[in-house]
Amino acid sequence: MSRPIIIQGALQSEIDYLLKTFQIENKTNLGGYVFYECIYKNHPIIISKTKIGEISSAIATTLAIQKYNPLFVLNQGTAGALVEWLNKEDVIIGKQICYISQFSTDENKELDDINPWKKTEYRTIDNEVISYNANQKFLNWLQGLDILNKDNIYFDNIGSGDVWTKDINQMKKYNEDYGIVCEAMECSGAYMAANSLEIPLISIRVISNNEIIGEDFLIRLQKRSFSRELFIQG
């Protein structure tokens, strides 16, 4: 059988619609992580529940790659907007993932302006930005699909780490300093694992909320079927 495609979701609600689309052949549990082995148009598809957070997504991605040796990994789910022009149910296809969980505590934090406990965020001790680029061939393929020629689908940069930013000034600073337009937890861990094992991966996120313009968190998104449509039409 040909090498499978892995589709990831952190929550059960982010993979349920996929499980209803594809024919489930088997369910495998590896170290507490669940993988649904499916078939779509005679091609193997693995639906992976990564659980929440960068560490869990890194573990789930590593286990999936080692067991299934996939063609590529599609890391999908939801994200919070960091810019005014994004609305709920817009779709971001990540060109680059910037890691936002690294920080250090400043000795005199009350003298700093914005979230001083994150003085070295995004950077190594050598002051380098930590980021992961999407596979260019994969991006080129996606850009050629008719389904992506819509006004609410954007190719842009995603911030990722075990954080949930609610401070609007910090959101704007993230965008101004690093060019990220939304924030999601699992992308960085999945990219770290896939890049280490030399398997192409791309992250796709549906915007769930935008606190800058007052759009509250929406649990059930109509366009959560985007990944399913991508495979049916692409």
Side-chain angles (χ1 to χ4, degrees):
M1 183 176 287
S2 58
R3 294 168 65 190
I5 295 167
I6 293 175
I7 309 177
Q8 299 176 318
L11 303 172
Q12 191 67 34
S13 61
E14 292 177 335
I15 63 172
D16 275 343
Y17 62 89
L18 293 168
L19 297 177
K20 294 175 183 178
T21 299
F22 304 130
Q23 176 186 339
I24 301 174
E25 299 288 315
N26 190 38
K27 179 181 176 181
T28 298
N29 189 309
L30 297 174
Y33 293 86
V34 178
F35 301 91
Y36 298 88
E37 299 166 7
C38 307
I39 297 293
Y40 178 71
K41 293 184 177 180
N42 296 319
H43 192 91
I45 305 288
I46 309 299
I47 308 299
S48 166
K49 182 181 176 181
T50 67
K51 303 180 185 180
I52 297 173
E54 61 183 76
I55 295 175
S56 288
S57 65
I59 294 171
T61 304
T62 300
L63 290 171
I65 291 174
Q66 289 179 336
K67 179 172 176 60
Y68 297 107
N69 187 29
L71 284 173
F72 62 85
V73 179
L74 174 59
N75 174 261
Q76 59 91 43
T78 59
L82 301 179
V83 292
E84 294 180 354
W85 51 266
L86 279 176
N87 297 104
K88 286 186 293 189
E89 300 193 71
D90 286 347
V91 176
I92 299 294
I93 299 173
K95 297 192 302 181
Q96 185 181 71
I97 307 301
C98 292
Y99 182 54
I100 60 175
S101 277
Q102 184 171 346
F103 62 91
S104 66
T105 301
D106 197 28
E107 182 179 352
N108 207 0
K109 64 182 182 181
E110 66 269 19
L111 300 179
D112 294 306
D113 294 325
I114 300 174
N115 287 9
W117 51 93
K118 295 181 179 179
K119 290 290 287 184
T120 61
E121 194 164 32
Y122 287 57
R123 298 177 183 274
T124 68
I125 199 165
D126 296 322
N127 205 35
E128 297 175 344
V129 175
I130 302 173
S131 63
Y132 310 95
N133 293 320
N135 181 273
Q136 192 58 52
K137 289 184 179 179
F138 201 171
L139 277 177
N140 292 342
W141 173 70
L142 288 172
Q143 289 170 338
L145 297 179
D146 290 338
I147 187 178
L148 300 185
N149 294 325
K150 296 181 179 180
D151 291 338
N152 71 312
I153 298 177
Y154 307 93
F155 288 79
D156 220 311
N157 300 332
I158 301 172
S160 179
D162 283 339
V163 295
W164 186 311
T165 305
K166 299 180 75 68
D167 184 284
I168 292 177
N169 288 329
Q170 185 70 53
M171 295 178 190
K172 292 180 178 179
K173 184 174 177 60
Y174 283 172
N175 174 252
E176 291 170 1
D177 290 354
Y178 306 108
I180 59 177
V181 300
C182 64
E183 176 183 278
M185 289 185 178
E186 294 76 29
C187 306
S188 57
Y191 260 102
M192 189 178 298
N195 284 4
S196 296
L197 297 170
E198 299 182 341
I199 296 295
L201 180 145
I202 199 163
S203 290
I204 296 178
R205 287 293 184 271
V206 179
I207 299 301
S208 59
N209 62 299
N210 189 330
E211 297 188 20
I212 296 176
I213 59 176
E215 288 189 342
D216 294 332
F217 184 77
L218 181 62
I219 295 177
R220 297 187 179 277
L221 292 168
Q222 293 179 358
K223 290 188 176 65
R224 276 193 175 174
S225 62
F226 176 77
S227 297
R228 179 181 60 190
E229 294 173 8
L230 179 61
F231 275 86
I232 291 175
Q233 297 186 31

